[in-house]
Amino acid sequence: MHDKIEKPVHDTDMRYRALFENANDAIFLLEADKFVECNAKTLEMFGCTPEQIIGKTPYDPYSPEFQPDGRKSKDKALEKIHLVMQGQSQLFNWRHNKYNGKVFDAEVSLNRLELPGKILIQAIVRDVTKLKRLGGKLKTSEEKYKTLVEHVSELIYMHDLDGKLTYVSPQCEKIAGYTAQDLIGQKWTSYATDNPINKLALDIFEEARETGKSPKTHQVEIRKKDGDVIVLEVNDSILRDANGDITGVVGSARNITNQKLMEQALAESEQKFRTFFENEPEYCYMISPQGTILEANSTALSVLGYAKEELIGKPIESLYAPELYERVRQLLSQWKQTGEIRNEEMVIITRNGDRRTVLLSSAQVLGENGKPLHSVSIQRDITESKKAQEELKKSKEFLDNVINSLDDSFFIKDQEHRWLMLNDAACELIGRPREELIGKSDYDLFPKEQADVFWEMDNLVFETGRTNVNEEKVTWHDKVHTISSKKSLYTDPVTGQKFLTGINRDITERKKAEERLRQSEERFKILFESAPDAYYIHDLEGNFIDG
């Protein structure tokens, strides 16, 4: 017991760790016959450091070569370990060595401890050297009996019918901070708080005095000398004089403050879980290891259309679409093996026949023995988002069809000048399949001089935000193409990310036709001007146009 009572962490592992570290007995873990972990009491009892014990065996160097029965410590220890590994817990007396070689007697219990992926042995060692020394003396001397009483971990006390303490064991100072001198002659109620459990304790004593029967086990709450409050579990027995008249009470008390705090924390944790469970907007269930529904929250009941009593006890698979029954059985098997299911898309059927698409996640809740008690299953309804995805998919397919039907090439680039999207005409213009172009930049496809020009034009759009219309000379397949280009800036309204959209039209043939026409007109004009004869052109009404 400790004077300072600290509220335990809610987590089960942390509570176990607190008990492990603060136990009055040495507790250590063995893997095969080697120490792998121990508490502080082990180091104190064996007089060693962690480095001096971890990796060592309990028979060498921490036991003499032989036990009192003449057997070798190693042989006997390995036999005990073998029995424990076979599932047979062991409780026996043992003679141990401290690190400095000093021998002490101990009571040892060994238990098999199964953890994920390995099996350990938990050993609890109690130094009984003092108790063994007192054992013989207790038979002949009341003083020796008193010595034993004063060395037990529980508080021993006696009080008269008025509640005045007549005896208090030294453990009181360790538990509550008071010495025997502080308490003898004082009423125990002087140290009690206003907690109703203290009124109940008085009622229990009055009932015992009237009936002559020893009071049942009960609890009291007292204030320690330093002001902290602790809870004691009390076992009382009636004291009688030579005439059989009741004269008072002899009792023992142990500090259960940590236990009460743990119980309170557990109750609070359970309440928080219940609050979360009932108010969670997703569908929540508790499922037995056999796959039946133990509990369902109001959201699930509302959507499914069942009353709670109708749903409890039903197989969980009955909620799903019939074509998924086999998949549900596979998931139950997976749950038993791995302990969890994550984001499994399923379809549930409501009572009126509606189909809802959900994402299923489930996790096991384990008991103290490490076996699953049940699982908590959460279904997130994604029916509407699935519909929206389908609509978005259709819309995207329609848009892709429209874009790919364009004769002009269309593309989108990010700010690193990488192509994010190209339509069929763009791929055809460049002369490469789409998968070779996505994620590439101009420098991956064109000579550096040409890529520099494109990069500069793109940057102009990114920096100014203005649409750029231009004609560009591009060499593809060893041929020079004239491209009419229109590039614009698009800013995503949600993320603020900027993209460049472009439309290119190959006007190479048109430019060639224009050049041929220009050259033809030029030749005609030269011929017309240099002819020796007079030529003229007039319209149908006789008006001269040229000559």
PDB file of all heavy atoms in Angstrom, residues 9-10 20 37 56 69 92 97 105 112 125 127 135 144 151 211 264 268 276 285 341 399 407 469 510:
ATOM      1  N   VAL A   9      -4.769   5.236 -14.710  1.00  0.00           N
ATOM      2  CA  VAL A   9      -5.109   5.494 -16.112  1.00  0.00           C
ATOM      3  C   VAL A   9      -6.227   4.555 -16.524  1.00  0.00           C
ATOM      4  O   VAL A   9      -6.274   3.403 -16.104  1.00  0.00           O
ATOM      5  CB  VAL A   9      -3.878   5.281 -17.001  1.00  0.00           C
ATOM      6  CG1 VAL A   9      -4.214   5.556 -18.454  1.00  0.00           C
ATOM      7  CG2 VAL A   9      -2.756   6.204 -16.531  1.00  0.00           C
ATOM      8  N   HIS A  10      -7.146   5.011 -17.331  1.00  0.00           N
ATOM      9  CA  HIS A  10      -8.284   4.192 -17.721  1.00  0.00           C
ATOM     10  C   HIS A  10      -7.886   2.967 -18.511  1.00  0.00           C
ATOM     11  O   HIS A  10      -8.532   1.937 -18.465  1.00  0.00           O
ATOM     12  CB  HIS A  10      -9.270   5.040 -18.545  1.00  0.00           C
ATOM     13  CG  HIS A  10      -9.930   6.083 -17.695  1.00  0.00           C
ATOM     14  ND1 HIS A  10     -10.924   6.905 -18.154  1.00  0.00           N
ATOM     15  CD2 HIS A  10      -9.722   6.444 -16.408  1.00  0.00           C
ATOM     16  CE1 HIS A  10     -11.305   7.727 -17.213  1.00  0.00           C
ATOM     17  NE2 HIS A  10     -10.588   7.477 -16.149  1.00  0.00           N
ATOM     18  N   PHE A  20       1.344  -4.223 -11.407  1.00  0.00           N
ATOM     19  CA  PHE A  20       2.583  -4.986 -11.555  1.00  0.00           C
ATOM     20  C   PHE A  20       3.732  -4.277 -10.844  1.00  0.00           C
ATOM     21  O   PHE A  20       4.489  -4.893 -10.092  1.00  0.00           O
ATOM     22  CB  PHE A  20       2.869  -5.132 -13.059  1.00  0.00           C
ATOM     23  CG  PHE A  20       4.142  -5.873 -13.392  1.00  0.00           C
ATOM     24  CD1 PHE A  20       4.168  -7.255 -13.460  1.00  0.00           C
ATOM     25  CD2 PHE A  20       5.316  -5.173 -13.666  1.00  0.00           C
ATOM     26  CE1 PHE A  20       5.332  -7.932 -13.792  1.00  0.00           C
ATOM     27  CE2 PHE A  20       6.478  -5.836 -13.992  1.00  0.00           C
ATOM     28  CZ  PHE A  20       6.492  -7.213 -14.054  1.00  0.00           C
ATOM     29  N   GLU A  37      11.241 -10.012 -17.776  1.00  0.00           N
ATOM     30  CA  GLU A  37      10.713  -8.762 -17.218  1.00  0.00           C
ATOM     31  C   GLU A  37      10.444  -8.970 -15.737  1.00  0.00           C
ATOM     32  O   GLU A  37      10.098 -10.081 -15.306  1.00  0.00           O
ATOM     33  CB  GLU A  37       9.429  -8.327 -17.929  1.00  0.00           C
ATOM     34  CG  GLU A  37       8.973  -6.934 -17.511  1.00  0.00           C
ATOM     35  CD  GLU A  37       7.802  -6.436 -18.348  1.00  0.00           C
ATOM     36  OE1 GLU A  37       7.330  -7.208 -19.185  1.00  0.00           O
ATOM     37  OE2 GLU A  37       7.385  -5.281 -18.118  1.00  0.00           O
ATOM     38  N   LYS A  56      18.861 -13.994 -17.074  1.00  0.00           N
ATOM     39  CA  LYS A  56      19.350 -15.058 -16.188  1.00  0.00           C
ATOM     40  C   LYS A  56      18.235 -16.069 -15.921  1.00  0.00           C
ATOM     41  O   LYS A  56      17.085 -15.871 -16.296  1.00  0.00           O
ATOM     42  CB  LYS A  56      19.846 -14.464 -14.854  1.00  0.00           C
ATOM     43  CG  LYS A  56      20.879 -13.353 -15.011  1.00  0.00           C
ATOM     44  CD  LYS A  56      22.177 -13.865 -15.609  1.00  0.00           C
ATOM     45  CE  LYS A  56      23.221 -12.754 -15.671  1.00  0.00           C
ATOM     46  NZ  LYS A  56      24.470 -13.188 -16.308  1.00  0.00           N
ATOM     47  N   ASP A  69      15.011 -30.276   0.081  1.00  0.00           N
ATOM     48  CA  ASP A  69      14.676 -31.699  -0.053  1.00  0.00           C
ATOM     49  C   ASP A  69      15.799 -32.509  -0.714  1.00  0.00           C
ATOM     50  O   ASP A  69      15.658 -33.707  -0.980  1.00  0.00           O
ATOM     51  CB  ASP A  69      13.386 -31.874  -0.854  1.00  0.00           C
ATOM     52  CG  ASP A  69      13.495 -31.335  -2.271  1.00  0.00           C
ATOM     53  OD1 ASP A  69      14.579 -30.789  -2.631  1.00  0.00           O
ATOM     54  OD2 ASP A  69      12.512 -31.406  -3.016  1.00  0.00           O
ATOM     55  N   PHE A  92       4.465 -23.555  -4.541  1.00  0.00           N
ATOM     56  CA  PHE A  92       5.414 -24.355  -3.774  1.00  0.00           C
ATOM     57  C   PHE A  92       6.362 -23.433  -3.000  1.00  0.00           C
ATOM     58  O   PHE A  92       6.446 -22.238  -3.268  1.00  0.00           O
ATOM     59  CB  PHE A  92       6.229 -25.269  -4.701  1.00  0.00           C
ATOM     60  CG  PHE A  92       6.890 -24.544  -5.835  1.00  0.00           C
ATOM     61  CD1 PHE A  92       8.185 -24.064  -5.734  1.00  0.00           C
ATOM     62  CD2 PHE A  92       6.194 -24.312  -7.022  1.00  0.00           C
ATOM     63  CE1 PHE A  92       8.791 -23.398  -6.779  1.00  0.00           C
ATOM     64  CE2 PHE A  92       6.800 -23.636  -8.076  1.00  0.00           C
ATOM     65  CZ  PHE A  92       8.085 -23.174  -7.957  1.00  0.00           C
ATOM     66  N   ASN A  97      18.459 -17.364  -3.653  1.00  0.00           N
ATOM     67  CA  ASN A  97      19.632 -16.554  -3.319  1.00  0.00           C
ATOM     68  C   ASN A  97      19.385 -15.114  -3.727  1.00  0.00           C
ATOM     69  O   ASN A  97      18.801 -14.852  -4.790  1.00  0.00           O
ATOM     70  CB  ASN A  97      20.876 -17.029  -4.083  1.00  0.00           C
ATOM     71  CG  ASN A  97      21.463 -18.291  -3.507  1.00  0.00           C
ATOM     72  OD1 ASN A  97      21.170 -18.656  -2.382  1.00  0.00           O
ATOM     73  ND2 ASN A  97      22.282 -18.957  -4.296  1.00  0.00           N
ATOM     74  N   ASP A 105      13.964 -17.763   2.194  1.00  0.00           N
ATOM     75  CA  ASP A 105      12.874 -18.690   1.874  1.00  0.00           C
ATOM     76  C   ASP A 105      11.742 -17.934   1.213  1.00  0.00           C
ATOM     77  O   ASP A 105      11.451 -16.787   1.566  1.00  0.00           O
ATOM     78  CB  ASP A 105      12.363 -19.388   3.134  1.00  0.00           C
ATOM     79  CG  ASP A 105      13.398 -20.332   3.715  1.00  0.00           C
ATOM     80  OD1 ASP A 105      13.844 -21.254   2.988  1.00  0.00           O
ATOM     81  OD2 ASP A 105      13.770 -20.137   4.884  1.00  0.00           O
ATOM     82  N   ARG A 112       0.878 -20.098 -16.344  1.00  0.00           N
ATOM     83  CA  ARG A 112       1.091 -19.939 -17.794  1.00  0.00           C
ATOM     84  C   ARG A 112       0.370 -18.674 -18.257  1.00  0.00           C
ATOM     85  O   ARG A 112      -0.777 -18.434 -17.888  1.00  0.00           O
ATOM     86  CB  ARG A 112       0.530 -21.179 -18.517  1.00  0.00           C
ATOM     87  CG  ARG A 112       0.593 -21.134 -20.047  1.00  0.00           C
ATOM     88  CD  ARG A 112      -0.108 -22.382 -20.559  1.00  0.00           C
ATOM     89  NE  ARG A 112      -0.404 -22.308 -21.982  1.00  0.00           N
ATOM     90  CZ  ARG A 112       0.207 -23.021 -22.907  1.00  0.00           C
ATOM     91  NH1 ARG A 112       1.157 -23.863 -22.563  1.00  0.00           N
ATOM     92  NH2 ARG A 112      -0.142 -22.928 -24.176  1.00  0.00           N
ATOM     93  N   VAL A 125       6.630 -14.259  -6.321  1.00  0.00           N
ATOM     94  CA  VAL A 125       7.495 -14.751  -5.245  1.00  0.00           C
ATOM     95  C   VAL A 125       7.266 -13.901  -4.001  1.00  0.00           C
ATOM     96  O   VAL A 125       7.363 -12.664  -4.051  1.00  0.00           O
ATOM     97  CB  VAL A 125       8.972 -14.692  -5.666  1.00  0.00           C
ATOM     98  CG1 VAL A 125       9.870 -15.122  -4.512  1.00  0.00           C
ATOM     99  CG2 VAL A 125       9.208 -15.581  -6.885  1.00  0.00           C
ATOM    100  N   ASP A 127       8.590 -13.395  -0.119  1.00  0.00           N
ATOM    101  CA  ASP A 127       9.628 -13.717   0.848  1.00  0.00           C
ATOM    102  C   ASP A 127       8.955 -14.119   2.161  1.00  0.00           C
ATOM    103  O   ASP A 127       8.326 -13.300   2.834  1.00  0.00           O
ATOM    104  CB  ASP A 127      10.530 -12.500   1.058  1.00  0.00           C
ATOM    105  CG  ASP A 127      11.739 -12.814   1.931  1.00  0.00           C
ATOM    106  OD1 ASP A 127      11.745 -13.855   2.621  1.00  0.00           O
ATOM    107  OD2 ASP A 127      12.671 -11.996   1.919  1.00  0.00           O
ATOM    108  N   GLY A 135       6.800 -18.862  12.642  1.00  0.00           N
ATOM    109  CA  GLY A 135       5.851 -19.975  12.687  1.00  0.00           C
ATOM    110  C   GLY A 135       5.912 -20.807  13.954  1.00  0.00           C
ATOM    111  O   GLY A 135       4.878 -21.069  14.595  1.00  0.00           O
ATOM    112  N   LYS A 144       4.505 -13.531  20.327  1.00  0.00           N
ATOM    113  CA  LYS A 144       4.884 -13.918  18.975  1.00  0.00           C
ATOM    114  C   LYS A 144       3.683 -13.849  18.035  1.00  0.00           C
ATOM    115  O   LYS A 144       3.816 -13.525  16.860  1.00  0.00           O
ATOM    116  CB  LYS A 144       5.485 -15.314  18.994  1.00  0.00           C
ATOM    117  CG  LYS A 144       6.783 -15.390  19.780  1.00  0.00           C
ATOM    118  CD  LYS A 144       7.255 -16.799  19.946  1.00  0.00           C
ATOM    119  CE  LYS A 144       8.504 -16.829  20.853  1.00  0.00           C
ATOM    120  NZ  LYS A 144       8.982 -18.187  21.078  1.00  0.00           N
ATOM    121  N   HIS A 151       2.920  -7.938  11.262  1.00  0.00           N
ATOM    122  CA  HIS A 151       3.661  -8.037  10.007  1.00  0.00           C
ATOM    123  C   HIS A 151       2.780  -8.376   8.814  1.00  0.00           C
ATOM    124  O   HIS A 151       3.291  -8.464   7.704  1.00  0.00           O
ATOM    125  CB  HIS A 151       4.786  -9.076  10.141  1.00  0.00           C
ATOM    126  CG  HIS A 151       5.977  -8.546  10.876  1.00  0.00           C
ATOM    127  ND1 HIS A 151       6.037  -8.495  12.244  1.00  0.00           N
ATOM    128  CD2 HIS A 151       7.150  -8.016  10.428  1.00  0.00           C
ATOM    129  CE1 HIS A 151       7.202  -7.983  12.623  1.00  0.00           C
ATOM    130  NE2 HIS A 151       7.899  -7.681  11.534  1.00  0.00           N
ATOM    131  N   THR A 211     -28.063  -9.001  16.855  1.00  0.00           N
ATOM    132  CA  THR A 211     -28.246 -10.421  16.499  1.00  0.00           C
ATOM    133  C   THR A 211     -27.164 -11.315  17.084  1.00  0.00           C
ATOM    134  O   THR A 211     -27.334 -12.541  17.163  1.00  0.00           O
ATOM    135  CB  THR A 211     -28.245 -10.596  14.972  1.00  0.00           C
ATOM    136  OG1 THR A 211     -26.970 -10.189  14.453  1.00  0.00           O
ATOM    137  CG2 THR A 211     -29.346  -9.763  14.326  1.00  0.00           C
ATOM    138  N   GLN A 264     -14.551   2.730 -10.431  1.00  0.00           N
ATOM    139  CA  GLN A 264     -15.174   3.984 -10.858  1.00  0.00           C
ATOM    140  C   GLN A 264     -14.774   4.329 -12.290  1.00  0.00           C
ATOM    141  O   GLN A 264     -15.612   4.729 -13.108  1.00  0.00           O
ATOM    142  CB  GLN A 264     -14.769   5.107  -9.912  1.00  0.00           C
ATOM    143  CG  GLN A 264     -15.367   6.470 -10.284  1.00  0.00           C
ATOM    144  CD  GLN A 264     -14.899   7.564  -9.335  1.00  0.00           C
ATOM    145  OE1 GLN A 264     -14.291   7.298  -8.302  1.00  0.00           O
ATOM    146  NE2 GLN A 264     -15.157   8.803  -9.708  1.00  0.00           N
ATOM    147  N   GLU A 268     -17.144   4.730 -15.440  1.00  0.00           N
ATOM    148  CA  GLU A 268     -17.139   5.925 -16.285  1.00  0.00           C
ATOM    149  C   GLU A 268     -16.848   5.562 -17.733  1.00  0.00           C
ATOM    150  O   GLU A 268     -17.459   6.101 -18.656  1.00  0.00           O
ATOM    151  CB  GLU A 268     -16.097   6.913 -15.774  1.00  0.00           C
ATOM    152  CG  GLU A 268     -16.439   7.538 -14.428  1.00  0.00           C
ATOM    153  CD  GLU A 268     -15.320   8.397 -13.888  1.00  0.00           C
ATOM    154  OE1 GLU A 268     -14.247   8.453 -14.543  1.00  0.00           O
ATOM    155  OE2 GLU A 268     -15.502   9.007 -12.814  1.00  0.00           O
ATOM    156  N   PHE A 276     -21.300   7.054 -26.399  1.00  0.00           N
ATOM    157  CA  PHE A 276     -20.798   7.034 -27.778  1.00  0.00           C
ATOM    158  C   PHE A 276     -21.631   6.087 -28.638  1.00  0.00           C
ATOM    159  O   PHE A 276     -22.032   6.424 -29.756  1.00  0.00           O
ATOM    160  CB  PHE A 276     -19.333   6.594 -27.780  1.00  0.00           C
ATOM    161  CG  PHE A 276     -18.851   6.065 -29.110  1.00  0.00           C
ATOM    162  CD1 PHE A 276     -18.508   6.924 -30.141  1.00  0.00           C
ATOM    163  CD2 PHE A 276     -18.773   4.697 -29.338  1.00  0.00           C
ATOM    164  CE1 PHE A 276     -18.082   6.437 -31.367  1.00  0.00           C
ATOM    165  CE2 PHE A 276     -18.351   4.199 -30.558  1.00  0.00           C
ATOM    166  CZ  PHE A 276     -18.003   5.067 -31.570  1.00  0.00           C
ATOM    167  N   TYR A 285     -23.219  -2.043 -33.705  1.00  0.00           N
ATOM    168  CA  TYR A 285     -23.710  -3.305 -33.156  1.00  0.00           C
ATOM    169  C   TYR A 285     -22.648  -3.889 -32.240  1.00  0.00           C
ATOM    170  O   TYR A 285     -21.459  -3.616 -32.377  1.00  0.00           O
ATOM    171  CB  TYR A 285     -23.980  -4.338 -34.264  1.00  0.00           C
ATOM    172  CG  TYR A 285     -24.798  -3.834 -35.432  1.00  0.00           C
ATOM    173  CD1 TYR A 285     -24.175  -3.207 -36.507  1.00  0.00           C
ATOM    174  CD2 TYR A 285     -26.173  -3.986 -35.464  1.00  0.00           C
ATOM    175  CE1 TYR A 285     -24.904  -2.740 -37.583  1.00  0.00           C
ATOM    176  CE2 TYR A 285     -26.912  -3.525 -36.545  1.00  0.00           C
ATOM    177  CZ  TYR A 285     -26.275  -2.903 -37.595  1.00  0.00           C
ATOM    178  OH  TYR A 285     -27.006  -2.447 -38.667  1.00  0.00           O
ATOM    179  N   ILE A 341     -11.958  -6.210 -38.808  1.00  0.00           N
ATOM    180  CA  ILE A 341     -12.368  -6.077 -40.215  1.00  0.00           C
ATOM    181  C   ILE A 341     -12.335  -4.581 -40.508  1.00  0.00           C
ATOM    182  O   ILE A 341     -12.806  -3.781 -39.695  1.00  0.00           O
ATOM    183  CB  ILE A 341     -13.787  -6.630 -40.448  1.00  0.00           C
ATOM    184  CG1 ILE A 341     -13.853  -8.117 -40.087  1.00  0.00           C
ATOM    185  CG2 ILE A 341     -14.222  -6.413 -41.897  1.00  0.00           C
ATOM    186  CD1 ILE A 341     -15.272  -8.651 -40.032  1.00  0.00           C
ATOM    187  N   LEU A 399     -18.342  13.692 -70.350  1.00  0.00           N
ATOM    188  CA  LEU A 399     -17.397  14.766 -70.641  1.00  0.00           C
ATOM    189  C   LEU A 399     -16.203  14.234 -71.429  1.00  0.00           C
ATOM    190  O   LEU A 399     -15.738  14.886 -72.382  1.00  0.00           O
ATOM    191  CB  LEU A 399     -16.921  15.410 -69.335  1.00  0.00           C
ATOM    192  CG  LEU A 399     -15.966  16.598 -69.467  1.00  0.00           C
ATOM    193  CD1 LEU A 399     -16.618  17.726 -70.249  1.00  0.00           C
ATOM    194  CD2 LEU A 399     -15.536  17.089 -68.086  1.00  0.00           C
ATOM    195  N   ASP A 407     -12.098  17.676 -82.766  1.00  0.00           N
ATOM    196  CA  ASP A 407     -11.031  17.571 -83.766  1.00  0.00           C
ATOM    197  C   ASP A 407      -9.766  18.236 -83.273  1.00  0.00           C
ATOM    198  O   ASP A 407      -8.649  17.843 -83.660  1.00  0.00           O
ATOM    199  CB  ASP A 407     -11.473  18.224 -85.087  1.00  0.00           C
ATOM    200  CG  ASP A 407     -12.589  17.432 -85.765  1.00  0.00           C
ATOM    201  OD1 ASP A 407     -12.639  16.197 -85.558  1.00  0.00           O
ATOM    202  OD2 ASP A 407     -13.409  18.036 -86.473  1.00  0.00           O
ATOM    203  N   VAL A 469      -3.075  33.459 -76.790  1.00  0.00           N
ATOM    204  CA  VAL A 469      -3.361  32.886 -78.112  1.00  0.00           C
ATOM    205  C   VAL A 469      -2.125  33.084 -78.970  1.00  0.00           C
ATOM    206  O   VAL A 469      -1.614  34.207 -79.094  1.00  0.00           O
ATOM    207  CB  VAL A 469      -4.585  33.559 -78.764  1.00  0.00           C
ATOM    208  CG1 VAL A 469      -4.841  32.955 -80.145  1.00  0.00           C
ATOM    209  CG2 VAL A 469      -5.816  33.403 -77.873  1.00  0.00           C
ATOM    210  N   ARG A 510      -3.290  24.277 -93.650  1.00  0.00           N
ATOM    211  CA  ARG A 510      -3.927  25.558 -93.992  1.00  0.00           C
ATOM    212  C   ARG A 510      -2.877  26.617 -94.298  1.00  0.00           C
ATOM    213  O   ARG A 510      -3.020  27.399 -95.238  1.00  0.00           O
ATOM    214  CB  ARG A 510      -4.802  26.022 -92.832  1.00  0.00           C
ATOM    215  CG  ARG A 510      -5.728  27.176 -93.200  1.00  0.00           C
ATOM    216  CD  ARG A 510      -6.411  27.748 -91.994  1.00  0.00           C
ATOM    217  NE  ARG A 510      -5.498  28.632 -91.269  1.00  0.00           N
ATOM    218  CZ  ARG A 510      -5.779  29.178 -90.095  1.00  0.00           C
ATOM    219  NH1 ARG A 510      -6.916  28.870 -89.485  1.00  0.00           N
ATOM    220  NH2 ARG A 510      -4.919  29.993 -89.515  1.00  0.00           N
TER     221      ARG A 510
END
